[in-house]
Amino acid sequence: GESVGLHLPTLSVQEGDNSIINCAYSNSASDYFIWYKQESGKGPQFIIDIRSNMDKRQGQRVTVLLNKTVKHLSLQIAATQPGDSAVYFCAETLYGQNFVFGPGTRLSVLP
Amino acid sequence: KAGVTQTPRYLIKTRGQQVTLSCSPISGHRSVSWYQQTPGQGLQFLFEYFSETQRNKGNFPGRFSGRQFSNSRSEMNVSTLELGDSALYLCASSLEDTGGEQYFGPGTRLTVT
């Protein structure tokens, strides 16, 4: 598969536990944020998004929290499964243009 | 509905050559963005096209260029290839022109020797 990042921060969690992946974004004016999942050999896959007028959004097994005061995003994955193992990226944008991606975090789910 | 397709999937070129990569967006999507992904720099935005017009451009040299056709298909071109251009080049399409979910293709792995 493709090598997404050789020295990414890694989060290891036990199967069934909850995972929290953090991201610091750079532009306080950014109005839209997305979390992506990238598996080896594939392009990033949309997980969940949030607009700047919200501080929390829930999806299926995932929750995104936005703290604009400290420019921080987090992705919470409930009941983590082996299929969740991947690299996770946050992305920020203003007016849907010039998406800026974070460096990524590798999630490793232990059996 | 078919996803974003990119061709070719793998490519090997020599320094100094030029290369053209192709992206077909999801049917109905008018916005196409290109990204470069490397282990060292991560995902970096190259440019975005909407309705055949380049709307945004990232911080890449002029050797990187692109275009979009009337059917929304897009190509990117890199001239005078350098070793540092070796990367995974990703294309993403979206329906909206102001934010919204981007759908990525599998990428083209370019190796410059």
Side-chain angles (χ1 to χ4, degrees), chain B residues 3-18:
Chain B
V4 177
T5 58
Q6 292 186 247
T7 56
R9 290 294 312 277
Y10 301 91
L11 202 52
I12 300 175
K13 288 286 190 177
T14 304
R15 270 181 302 176
Q17 288 185 314
Q18 67 94 27

Side-chain angles (χ1 to χ4, degrees), chain A residues 33-110:
Chain A
F33 306 87
I34 306 176
W35 279 100
Y36 288 95
K37 171 187 180 183
Q38 187 172 24
E39 297 173 283
S40 183
K42 298 182 180 180
Q45 176 188 0
F46 173 95
I47 300 173
I48 191 168
D49 59 358
I50 188 168
R51 298 208 175 265
S52 58
N53 61 351
M54 303 172 68
D55 53 22
K56 180 179 180 179
R57 188 154 189 241
Q58 289 184 288
Q60 186 177 16
R61 277 201 313 121
V62 294
T63 300
V64 55
L65 299 177
L66 174 62
N67 185 330
K68 293 184 287 294
T69 303
V70 294
K71 295 191 292 185
H72 183 267
L73 268 175
S74 68
L75 175 70
Q76 301 177 1
I77 304 174
T80 312
Q81 303 168 0
D84 294 328
S85 292
V87 177
Y88 290 81
F89 295 95
C90 66
E92 60 178 298
T93 182
L94 177 62
Y95 306 134
Q97 299 170 9
N98 294 18
F99 281 80
V100 175
F101 285 76
T105 296
R106 189 180 304 279
L107 176 64
S108 178
V109 181
L110 308 173

